[in-house]
Amino acid sequence: MQSAALASQTARATSWPGRAMSGLVVLFMVFDGIIHLAKPTPVVDAFAQLGVPLHLSVGIAIVELACTLLYAIPHTSVLGALLLTAYLGGATAIQIRAEAGWFPIVFPALLGALLWGGLALRDARVLALVAPNGSANR
């Protein structure tokens, strides 16, 4: 009985930092999706610099927002995380192809680490994958 209570306390304690980390990812991705829909001058300039046709902005935004929605819903969060990881990998590839600076190349990977870290802290199944052999319950 005590181990169940301890596990419950541990789950509650790790879920708040996980929710905060995931919330930051969701806020950034929603902001990014919205500006892709609105197409302000910085987005137009970035698409031109990266060599991506501007008419793809809306499609990219829809995919980004759909993946973010899946990530935000607890029952589909793992699927959303996988899809967002693929999306961020594409963002990294575009930045490398355009020979961007180090920050635009590394930022998607940092966001992906925050994404998976937040998910691991709020989902025991993901944490068990990262910390096998029961070390997640200690």
Side-chain angles (χ1 to χ4, degrees):
M1 184 72 170
Q2 289 179 347
S3 64
L6 181 61
S8 176
Q9 287 177 344
T10 303
R12 272 187 259 128
T14 59
S15 67
W16 283 110
R19 288 178 187 151
M21 291 168 66
S22 295
L24 286 173
V25 171
V26 168
L27 285 174
F28 175 79
M29 297 303 289
V30 167
F31 169 75
D32 195 52
I34 289 171
I35 66 169
H36 279 111
L37 290 173
K39 300 179 196 170
T41 304
V43 170
V44 173
D45 294 344
F47 270 64
Q49 178 188 4
L50 295 172
V52 178
L54 187 60
H55 72 274
L56 296 177
S57 178
V58 173
I60 290 170
I62 291 169
V63 168
E64 182 177 13
L65 292 170
C67 294
T68 303
L69 178 64
L70 288 172
Y71 177 71
I73 298 171
H75 292 299
T76 59
S77 59
V78 174
L79 175 61
L82 289 170
L83 294 172
L84 282 175
T85 301
Y87 178 87
L88 294 170
T92 301
I94 290 289
Q95 295 292 344
I96 290 171
R97 188 192 62 76
E99 298 178 353
W102 68 272
F103 184 74
I105 292 172
V106 173
F107 184 74
L110 295 173
L111 195 60
L114 190 64
L115 177 145
W116 281 101
L119 185 58
L121 289 176
R122 65 185 174 105
D123 190 331
R125 298 170 301 164
V126 175
L127 186 59
L129 290 173
V130 177
N133 300 326
S135 60
N137 294 330
R138 293 183 190 164

